[in-house]
Amino acid sequence: MAGSSRSSTAFGFGLADDILRTIRAADDWRSLRQLTRDFSDEIRSRHFALITHEDLRAPKPGAVDIRDYAEGVERRIIGGCRYRRDPVMRGCLFADSAFLWSELRDIITLDHQDRLALEFGRREGLNEGITVPCGKLGHCLGSCTFAGFRSPRMAELALAPAQMFGVFAFQRARRLAGPLLPGPEPRLAPRYRDCVVLVGRGLRNKAIAHRLGLSEDTIESYLRDARKLFGASDRTELVAAALLAGEIGLDELRRS
């Protein structure tokens, strides 16, 4: 059993290394598209899409757009610019890893329009799909999708390989789309950061001063300096800038 376990682990590492090496060797859009097509065929998926969630009718610099999708769905989502309303793309905002479309109801609340969209997809041959959310702070959210599986069981078996492929393929696509600058150094001292978080929760200076045991003048001074650091003109811009810089987390802004 021990030997079998080691062999299984080695196989898993070998497969992961093969996928990563192959993706990193893709040095242009054409080769990455072909690689995605080959992987889609391997997992018995009819269609694929490696895209950023934006208006792809006139892509901006840095956009990712590699797809072989059902014509009707492309017309509806891309041509009709309905990506913000698409339930699968909306699910990417709340999912923490690859998900089956049949699990969407556990990730987001589906309304009538969502159900119609999913039914439309099924009529176009997208009976089941896997979508891998691909996000990078400060950049447009994207995803890697495989859809139209031969059977629901095939989709279940492909979930883990799709997660691995999707993350690294999208990373490669972003690099092909243009250079990515590293994240900035932190600029907020601890007390400044505390003030910005509390501003994000909707507290006024008097309440922040009471919470932190400081004077209102000190709080105003901290926030004024923080706005200068981020070039923010008001409290709303300050919170948004701190979020996009990764200095505070969205979860911290929820009121307890």
Side-chain angles (χ1 to χ4, degrees):
M1 290 295 291
S4 173
S5 175
R6 283 196 297 272
S7 175
S8 175
T9 301
F11 172 75
F13 284 152
L15 176 63
D17 186 57
D18 285 346
I19 290 176
L20 184 55
R21 285 175 180 272
T22 306
I23 290 172
R24 286 181 172 173
D27 55 4
D28 56 33
W29 292 111
R30 182 177 179 181
S31 56
L32 184 57
R33 178 187 176 84
Q34 185 58 53
L35 178 59
T36 308
R37 173 76 273 170
D38 292 345
F39 182 83
S40 184
D41 291 343
E42 183 68 23
I43 62 175
R44 306 293 190 272
S45 162
R46 294 184 184 91
H47 303 288
F48 62 85
L50 199 68
I51 59 174
T52 40
H53 298 180
E54 57 185 307
D55 187 354
L56 294 175
R57 295 173 299 180
K60 299 175 183 177
V64 172
D65 186 10
I66 300 176
R67 50 191 155 96
D68 180 359
Y69 228 41
E71 185 178 342
V73 176
E74 284 203 0
R75 237 182 359 253
R76 180 185 177 92
I77 298 176
I78 307 299
C81 201
R82 301 184 61 157
Y83 61 94
R84 289 194 181 93
R85 193 60 182 83
D86 179 70
V88 174
M89 292 189 183
R90 202 167 83 250
C92 289
L93 293 168
F94 300 95
D96 55 7
S97 61
F99 59 88
L100 296 168
W101 290 2
S102 55
E103 297 174 339
L104 257 177
R105 65 178 63 88
D106 300 323
I107 300 171
I108 59 173
T109 300
L110 298 175
D111 64 12
H112 180 63
Q113 291 298 319
D114 294 330
R115 288 187 285 273
L116 288 177
L118 293 171
E119 178 56 34
F120 177 81
R122 282 189 285 271
R123 292 200 302 270
E124 292 287 317
L126 307 184
N127 56 303
E128 175 66 292
I130 295 172
T131 294
V132 184
C134 301
K136 181 177 174 62
L137 193 63
H139 294 266
C140 183
L141 181 66
S143 60
C144 178
T145 288
F146 300 98
F149 282 88
R150 310 299 180 188
S151 70
R153 180 57 179 160
M154 282 303 305
E156 291 175 6
L157 292 172
L159 190 62
Q163 166 75 22
M164 185 189 309
F165 180 92
V167 168
F168 288 112
F170 202 90
Q171 180 189 67
R172 186 61 182 160
R174 282 207 193 272
R175 292 186 182 280
L176 290 174
L180 294 179
L181 298 176
E185 295 180 356
R187 284 174 278 181
L188 291 175
R191 273 307 192 197
Y192 286 54
R193 185 182 181 283
D194 292 341
C195 290
V196 176
V197 168
L198 293 175
V199 166
R201 292 182 187 173
L203 275 65
R204 307 309 299 173
N205 288 2
K206 184 175 182 179
I208 295 173
H210 178 73
R211 180 77 64 90
L212 299 181
L214 300 171
S215 70
E216 284 190 63
D217 287 344
T218 299
I219 299 302
E220 177 55 39
S221 173
Y222 284 173
L223 291 175
R224 184 172 56 250
D225 290 346
R227 287 195 300 272
K228 287 181 181 178
L229 284 172
F230 286 101
S233 61
D234 56 32
R235 297 161 77 92
T236 302
E237 279 191 20
L238 173 59
V239 173
L243 277 168
L244 292 173
E247 301 224 19
I248 64 175
L250 192 59
D251 60 301
E252 295 180 281
L253 304 187
R254 297 193 184 105
R255 289 177 177 269
S256 57

